[in-house]
Amino acid sequence: MEKLKKRSWAEPFKIKTVELLKMTTREERVRALKESGYNTFLLKSEDVYIDLLTDSGTNAMSDYQWAGMMLGDEAYAGSKNFYNLEARVQQFYGYKYLVPTHQGRAAEHMISKILIKPGDFIPGNMYFTTTRLHQELAGGTFVDVIIDEAHDPTSLHPFKGNVDLQKMEDLVKKVGANKIPYISVAGTVNMAGGQPVSMENLRQVRAFCKKHGIRLILDATRLIENAYFIKTREKEFEAKSIAEILREMCSYSDGCTMSGKKDLLVNIGGFLALAEHEREVFEEARNMVVVYEGLHTYGGLAGRDMEAMARGIEEAVNLDHIRARIGQIEYVGEKLQSIGIPIVLPVGGHAIFLDAKRFLPHVKQVEFPAQTLAAELYLDSGIRSMERGIVSAGRNKETGDHNYPKLELVRLTFPRRVYTQAHCDVTAEAVEAIYEKRDNIKGLKMIYEPKYLRFFQARFEKLA
Ligand code: F0G
């Protein structure tokens, strides 16, 4: 008998409750896709087999978190779950002040309104849709200062989320540091393919900001995933715990916005957190949250939601958890690479990004190659993914023309603790099936375009 060469790893949990999946026929999917205007955001979840639309709010909670839900203190003011969440944020993220919000964009809204004046510039390591929109609505202009490698899906740079300090220097020269209220630095940059920032880069950005009196606000949404990459790719941190790395990353910032719906293993929740020296900003946010979200000790969340998020923090920094989380993405990545599918490399933290430009080279960017590919994947297999290309990039504020991003990607985003390795295999095989018939795939025409965040609700038709 031949010996098995490799020791496999498996998901570090067992399944206690299941949710049954509905299988659909091709005819049903043809109809569903037409009805949803070829936009996977408009599909009914019931018509989806494997849902890789997003890792946001789609995570499976643990028994420990569900038990916490039963301990929800649903008081209007001063819920004990708020104080528990505050203590966990202080312990693991190191920020003194916490303003809970119903999700990340509410925190982005507040920090943008508080810190940005009309005419300001807000640099960031690539844009995120809601983050940039709130900066613009506050009168600011987003400036991309990520390193060039981030825009190249074939570059193997280990930290493609890094900030290019030369670009920061140029921006300060051009507009003056007083027009830059803060830089927004995201962990595992979503739109770049889930690519991490290095600790070395964060330290440099911090030093630069200090010199010029610019704040550093983290988008901590997937910072724990970023911490794992630092541990595995930056020698200095090999022996450090995820929690230690997380604390150090946060220590170089003045505060963070957070969508708890990702790293923190919950279905709803977020926060704005601020460092001890930011008492004034905190006071203002605490006043503002009452207007938009709810009292400052619940911010639009039920007590039970805050408890689940507090417990989620504890579980999220566990090494077995995060290793398996990112290991699952790596597993799918390796499979796709082995059959020659063009994907963004290195494989990122929360998703596989198919490179639609190379997948469908005959579909022009104005015919929405990534949108097309996402639609085809659903049609073939019932798997739902998300466009991250020209549709997501929206229009230029001045010219009204599309923004033309270099990256035209389809995101296969994996919810945490939800799908098994067999689901991963099915997914890779579905992508392969489309790749084999890619030459016959035609692009799309946009027939309805909403004003804000158009990718959510835009509708398309197949080109003849
Ligand atoms: N920042 C990043 C990096 C995000 O990925 C998201 C959401 C937000 C902020 C906003 O947080 O949704 O809680 O208001 N990303 C989701 C996604 C929607 O699918 O990538 P939110």
Side-chain angles (χ1 to χ4, degrees):
M1 213 174 88
E2 212 186 313
K3 259 182 94 180
L4 292 172
K5 283 188 202 73
K6 196 177 122 189
R7 298 294 291 262
S8 296
W9 61 270
E11 291 82 0
F13 52 81
K14 55 185 177 175
I15 296 166
K16 189 168 335 215
T17 302
V18 297
E19 177 183 335
L20 301 185
L21 296 174
K22 193 178 112 185
M23 315 292 274
T24 50
T25 63
R26 188 174 173 92
E27 288 67 45
E28 286 169 330
R29 293 196 294 275
V30 168
R31 200 178 52 235
L33 197 58
K34 264 214 186 103
E35 279 171 6
S36 64
Y38 293 84
N39 185 345
T40 52
F41 278 104
L42 299 178
L43 285 167
K44 290 185 181 137
S45 141
E46 249 197 344
D47 294 330
V48 173
Y49 170 39
I50 299 176
D51 202 347
L52 306 181
L53 183 70
T54 177
D55 62 332
S56 181
T58 52
N59 308 299
M61 293 208 294
S62 66
D63 50 358
Y64 177 61
Q65 287 174 293
W66 278 108
M69 295 286 275
M70 287 306 291
L71 301 175
D73 172 8
E74 307 308 341
Y76 189 86
S79 159
K80 70 178 180 202
N81 311 117
F82 166 77
Y83 294 107
N84 186 27
L85 177 63
E86 186 187 52
R88 293 293 156 261
V89 170
Q90 288 168 346
Q91 178 189 351
F92 288 99
Y93 290 85
Y95 301 115
K96 172 148 189 208
Y97 300 117
L98 172 75
V99 183
T101 59
H102 80 284
Q103 58 184 76
R105 69 198 69 181
E108 294 167 357
H109 173 212
M110 288 193 289
I111 201 72
S112 301
K113 263 198 138 155
I114 294 169
L115 295 180
I116 300 172
K117 292 186 303 300
D120 280 350
F121 294 83
I122 303 89
N125 54 346
M126 205 174 266
Y127 81 100
F128 183 70
T129 53
T130 57
T131 322
R132 183 180 67 189
L133 182 61
H134 280 298
Q135 293 164 356
E136 289 174 354
L137 290 173
T141 300
F142 165 82
V143 183
D144 189 4
V145 293
I146 203 165
I147 57 172
D148 287 339
E149 284 87 341
H151 294 280
D152 173 4
T154 62
S155 158
L156 292 176
H157 193 295
F159 290 103
K160 282 164 95 171
N162 279 356
V163 171
D164 186 331
L165 284 141
Q166 190 55 51
K167 289 183 186 170
M168 279 301 287
E169 195 84 59
D170 294 347
L171 181 67
V172 168
K173 268 207 196 105
K174 194 165 144 210
V175 305
N178 61 341
K179 285 256 177 251
I180 307 173
Y182 64 95
I183 176 173
S184 166
V185 179
T188 57
V189 181
N190 196 350
M191 304 301 273
Q195 304 294 328
V197 187
S198 71
M199 192 74 87
E200 184 193 14
N201 187 249
L202 258 183
R203 287 173 181 157
Q204 289 164 347
V205 176
R206 183 55 168 177
F208 180 91
C209 286
K210 228 181 181 150
K211 189 168 121 199
H212 294 280
I214 299 170
R215 284 187 172 89
L216 196 163
I217 302 293
L218 282 171
D219 180 337
T221 297
R222 298 185 184 84
L223 208 59
I224 296 174
E225 288 171 4
N226 200 118
Y228 179 76
F229 285 116
I230 288 178
K231 183 175 170 67
T232 51
R233 293 181 188 172
E234 235 174 322
K235 193 103 191 87
E236 181 188 339
F237 296 93
E238 217 171 36
K240 288 254 156 75
S241 71
I242 297 296
E244 284 170 317
I245 298 170
L246 181 66
R247 270 295 286 251
E248 182 171 340
M249 292 181 84
C250 294
S251 75
Y252 300 129
S253 75
D254 302 288
C256 80
T257 56
M258 177 76 189
S259 170
K261 299 169 72 174
K262 285 80 167 177
D263 263 357
L264 303 188
L265 302 163
V266 287
N267 305 120
I268 195 72
F271 54 79
L272 175 66
L274 292 151
E276 188 161 9
H277 61 271
E278 293 287 14
R279 183 159 183 105
E280 272 175 41
V281 177
F282 165 64
E283 295 280 357
E284 227 170 304
R286 198 165 57 165
N287 284 327
M288 198 180 270
V289 76
V290 186
V291 181
Y292 293 107
E293 296 281 289
L295 200 70
H296 61 280
T297 52
Y298 76 85
L301 294 170
R304 55 179 173 266
D305 300 326
M306 292 189 281
E307 188 60 30
M309 187 154 57
R311 292 178 178 222
I313 299 176
E314 291 172 49
E315 292 185 353
V317 297
N318 178 287
L319 184 59
D320 288 332
H321 159 72
I322 198 75
R323 188 193 282 131
R325 156 65 175 161
I326 290 173
Q328 184 173 55
I329 318 285
E330 281 168 351
Y331 174 80
V332 180
E334 275 163 27
K335 257 199 130 110
L336 290 176
Q337 259 187 289
S338 74
I339 50 177
I341 307 288
I343 59 173
V344 174
L345 294 173
V347 165
H350 63 308
I352 295 291
F353 289 74
L354 304 176
D355 184 352
K357 273 192 184 167
R358 280 185 291 152
F359 203 114
L360 300 174
H362 56 285
V363 177
K364 294 191 226 95
Q365 194 165 20
V366 290
E367 295 170 3
F368 312 109
Q371 190 79 28
T372 302
L373 184 51
E376 288 295 327
L377 184 61
Y378 173 74
L379 196 61
D380 180 84
S381 59
I383 294 172
R384 168 152 73 172
S385 57
M386 183 192 289
E387 192 262 10
R388 293 275 88 151
I390 187 167
V391 184
S392 296
R395 288 188 183 272
N396 182 295
K397 223 168 47 156
E398 257 93 60
T399 66
D401 191 11
H402 297 293
N403 289 317
Y404 293 90
K406 285 210 185 94
L407 299 177
E408 192 64 39
L409 308 176
V410 171
R411 192 180 76 172
L412 303 173
T413 336
F414 288 78
R416 296 164 189 78
R417 311 192 291 205
V418 169
Y419 292 115
T420 65
Q421 191 159 314
H423 291 113
C424 294
D425 292 341
V426 167
T427 301
E429 287 159 23
V431 173
E432 184 180 21
I434 302 177
Y435 196 59
E436 277 164 6
K437 55 184 182 205
R438 63 191 182 279
D439 294 341
N440 301 321
I441 294 174
K442 294 207 173 68
L444 296 168
K445 182 171 94 185
M446 203 190 300
I447 54 168
Y448 167 68
E449 179 174 354
K451 192 163 156 209
Y452 296 120
L453 303 176
R454 63 182 185 176
F455 55 94
F456 283 133
Q457 288 159 43
R459 301 185 72 86
F460 301 82
E461 247 170 31
K462 202 93 200 135
L463 284 173

